[in-house]
Amino acid sequence: MRPHTLLLPAALLLASSVGAQNIAYPPADSAPISSVQVTAPAKPQRIKHHQAEKISGAYEMSNGWYLRVRTASNYIDATIDDQPPLRLIPVAPYRFASGDGNVTMDFNRGSSGDDMEMSYLPDRRFAQRVVLSSRMASR
């Protein structure tokens, strides 16, 4: 009787492994993956006096535009040619951005610290970003 008692557990093991191969895999999820990104508004920073002196003035842009920068205690106004001024807030030392993030200006660049780089999104419908550089024209 001993051989028959060993055959029964072996038969059960074989039957269970065969049945496992017939189970269908879980279906692939065809729903689109969505995500939500939340960013806190930038904490307003104050522009220090030595920073204001360093960035205030006029700039000749690489594309021929003329940029004038006026500083206040917690923002800058940047006027390009005769366009309305752009108000930008400090997001890091010598880095400023518009409220919607479409325009950024980085000052205190280059070996002498007189260079500036402006980046902006000309049209929200397209994934194109324009980057312009400049040297300080006058103080």
Side-chain angles (χ1 to χ4, degrees), residues 73-128:
S73 61
N74 56 356
Y75 64 88
I76 64 170
D77 280 333
T79 305
I80 300 171
D81 293 335
D82 57 354
Q83 298 296 309
L86 301 167
R87 183 151 292 175
L88 298 119
I89 59 170
V91 293
Y94 299 106
R95 181 172 176 85
F96 297 83
S98 61
D100 60 4
N102 287 338
V103 179
T104 61
M105 291 186 182
D106 292 309
F107 295 89
N108 197 26
R109 297 174 61 93
S111 59
S112 64
D114 287 339
D115 295 345
M116 185 272 291
E117 182 177 271
M118 178 175 119
S119 170
Y120 69 98
L121 190 66
D123 190 341
R124 293 180 191 198
R125 295 175 297 164
F126 303 109
Q128 176 188 12

Side-chain angles (χ1 to χ4, degrees), residues 22 29 47 80 90-91 93 97 123 138:
N22 292 333
D29 186 7
I47 300 171
I80 300 171
V91 293
D123 190 341
S138 63

Side-chain angles (χ1 to χ4, degrees), residues 30-89:
S30 60
I33 296 174
S34 61
S35 63
V36 175
Q37 182 178 0
V38 178
T39 56
K43 181 182 175 186
Q45 298 182 12
R46 295 194 56 85
I47 300 171
K48 295 180 173 68
H49 182 71
H50 69 278
Q51 291 173 324
E53 287 180 345
K54 186 85 172 161
I55 64 176
S56 293
Y59 295 83
E60 292 180 1
M61 304 298 290
S62 59
N63 65 347
W65 290 348
Y66 183 77
L67 172 73
R68 178 163 297 281
V69 177
R70 289 188 324 265
T71 59
S73 61
N74 56 356
Y75 64 88
I76 64 170
D77 280 333
T79 305
I80 300 171
D81 293 335
D82 57 354
Q83 298 296 309
L86 301 167
R87 183 151 292 175
L88 298 119
I89 59 170

